[in-house]
Amino acid sequence: MEIQVMENILSKNDKIAAEINAIFSSHGIFVLNLLGSPGSGKTSLLEQTIMTLKGDIRMAVIEGDLFTSKDADRIARYGVPVVQINTSGGCHLDATMVKGVLDKLALATLDLIIIENVGNLICPAEFNIGEDVKAMVLSITEGEDKPLKYPLMFKQASIAVLNKIDLLPYTSFDMAAATEDILSINPKIGLVVASCRSGEGLNGWYEWIKQQVINKKAGRIGCK
Amino acid sequence: MHEMAIAQGILDITLDNAAQSDAKKVITIKLLVGQMTEVEPEAMRFCFSALAEGTIAAKAELKIKIVPLVVYCQDCGRKFVIERYRFLCSACGSANVKIISGRELQVEYLEVD
């Protein structure tokens, strides 16, 4: 006997993600899912972002990590609420994990939540976790071949930070090729060329976040 | 290794549908997997067989159809297959293209006894 099914394999996750997004949206909170390889500079970008924006934007961080709370400890020093999710070996966050920590956040007091996903260029791209948009960090030390090797991540992200440009003189990174490949995968992506160590080039990132927070408050970013 | 989470999704859908039809055994699971998903078929088969052990889907064969990445240009109306992940219209150069297929992760049908 044949049974016609036609069901999306990730539909359970997507349904929970939509529920979470509706909760965030009811509070007018803009939610960013931050993606990138281990060591690309996601936590450094968070640190810079918190230092620069915490006076203007009420923010909290959700930290995804396999086993440790090293990143959450780093973030907690900056005086913003931070919640740790340990995936116990899982290579990505899923919507159920984020749903499980919602009651640890004072949603009524927030404008922005940044969720730092597990460091990985593949798996997190497939799983919605209730975010409004995905953002990613690619460091130039990873090489310019990464966009075409991991295209889904670049396709799903609304903005990409090309990090560690202070190291450009010491690498053979081809900025023109990387930029061309990223823009051909996702012609609408925002590109920020920066160094999270020195803070150089990050203004475009801050301005983008501020605008998204304003848009979300005004209801211009709808539920997914 | 997100294939484990995906394999769990396949197993859940399979067992739900099989139970609704009072099936005793699942023989085949037909899957549609888009070209632009990052699923490795062999890893998914391996994860599925581990998860399905002891269920009526333990011996099921996963038949995987890879769906090509096709887009539609919203400016000139051309429909075309994407090569080398170049999401610009091959006719008019527009970036205003929409994915029609290639992102599927679906259970299409089951064969059961």
Side-chain angles (χ1 to χ4, degrees):
Chain A
M1 180 174 56
E2 195 172 297
I3 306 170
Q4 286 297 317
V5 181
M6 270 306 184
E7 190 172 336
N8 285 326
I9 295 164
L10 297 177
S11 61
K12 275 187 190 164
N13 180 75
D14 289 344
K15 188 165 169 278
I16 297 165
E19 285 169 24
I20 302 169
N21 188 267
I23 294 169
F24 291 137
S25 296
S26 71
H27 291 281
I29 304 170
F30 174 63
V31 181
L32 191 70
N33 181 2
L34 185 61
L35 312 166
S37 323
S40 58
K42 296 184 295 303
T43 313
S44 299
L45 179 63
L46 263 174
E47 290 177 305
Q48 292 280 0
T49 305
I50 294 165
M51 282 192 285
T52 307
L53 297 180
K54 79 171 183 181
D56 301 326
I57 295 174
R58 301 173 301 167
M59 64 173 90
V61 171
I62 298 175
E63 275 292 343
D65 191 86
L66 277 79
F67 301 107
T68 77
S69 62
K70 282 184 184 298
D71 292 346
D73 297 343
R74 262 171 78 179
I75 296 304
R77 291 183 309 194
Y78 296 90
V80 298
V82 55
V83 174
Q84 177 73 50
I85 299 175
N86 284 127
T87 61
S88 305
C91 53
H92 59 272
L93 295 177
D94 66 30
T96 305
M97 295 177 195
V98 175
K99 192 179 179 185
V101 300
L102 285 189
D103 61 356
K104 295 184 180 168
L105 290 165
L107 297 179
T109 67
L110 294 173
D111 306 313
L112 168 68
I113 295 174
I114 301 180
I115 306 174
E116 182 179 345
N117 217 308
V118 177
N120 183 334
L121 274 183
I122 304 176
C123 314
E126 291 283 4
F127 292 83
N128 295 322
I129 53 174
E131 75 273 18
D132 291 302
V133 297
K134 294 179 174 70
M136 66 168 296
V137 184
L138 175 74
S139 54
I140 60 124
T141 48
E142 292 168 67
E144 74 276 342
D145 56 346
K146 294 303 170 289
L148 288 180
K149 289 178 86 168
Y150 305 97
L152 186 61
M153 184 72 79
F154 291 85
K155 188 68 182 161
Q156 302 290 71
S158 299
I159 188 166
V161 176
L162 272 177
N163 187 26
K164 306 190 187 179
I165 53 162
D166 49 311
L167 297 177
L168 268 177
Y170 312 105
T171 71
S172 55
F173 188 83
D174 185 338
M175 185 63 81
T179 307
E180 190 189 334
D181 288 345
I182 293 170
L183 289 174
S184 71
I185 294 165
N186 185 349
K188 293 171 186 170
I189 200 168
L191 267 182
V192 173
V193 178
S195 162
C196 291
R197 190 161 76 167
S198 67
E200 180 191 353
L202 284 173
N203 276 340
W205 165 255
Y206 302 137
E207 290 308 314
W208 178 81
I209 289 186
K210 285 186 201 168
Q211 193 57 51
Q212 301 301 309
V213 169
I214 291 168
N215 290 352
K216 184 71 189 241
K217 285 270 176 260
R220 285 198 289 266
I221 300 174
C223 303
K224 283 197 287 194
Chain B
M1 186 80 157
H2 59 310
E3 280 83 0
M4 190 58 95
I6 290 165
Q8 185 66 55
I10 297 168
L11 184 63
D12 291 346
I13 291 170
T14 299
L15 295 180
D16 283 355
N17 281 278
Q20 281 167 28
S21 305
D22 292 324
K24 302 280 176 291
K25 192 178 161 200
V26 181
I27 301 159
T28 308
I29 304 169
K30 176 75 185 295
L31 304 172
L32 298 179
V33 174
Q35 195 191 327
M36 200 174 193
T37 58
E38 291 181 332
V39 171
E40 212 291 291
E42 285 319 305
M44 191 164 68
R45 284 197 169 93
F46 174 79
C47 293
F48 183 84
S49 67
L51 292 170
E53 211 176 296
T55 74
I56 60 165
K59 298 259 163 57
E61 184 197 356
L62 297 187
K63 281 191 181 165
I64 298 171
K65 183 182 175 193
I66 303 291
V67 184
L69 183 54
V70 178
V71 300
Y72 170 77
C73 175
Q74 299 183 102
D75 286 336
C76 77
R78 194 176 131 87
K79 212 169 108 177
F80 58 100
V81 174
I82 290 283
E83 279 162 34
R84 275 198 105 237
Y85 299 108
R86 197 174 153 75
F87 281 84
L88 293 169
C89 178
S90 52
C92 74
S94 167
N96 197 15
V97 299
K98 196 172 177 218
I99 294 178
I100 302 172
S101 74
R103 288 285 297 127
E104 295 80 356
L105 262 181
Q106 281 182 347
V107 178
E108 187 183 17
Y109 66 82
L110 308 173
E111 273 178 52
V112 298
D113 256 349

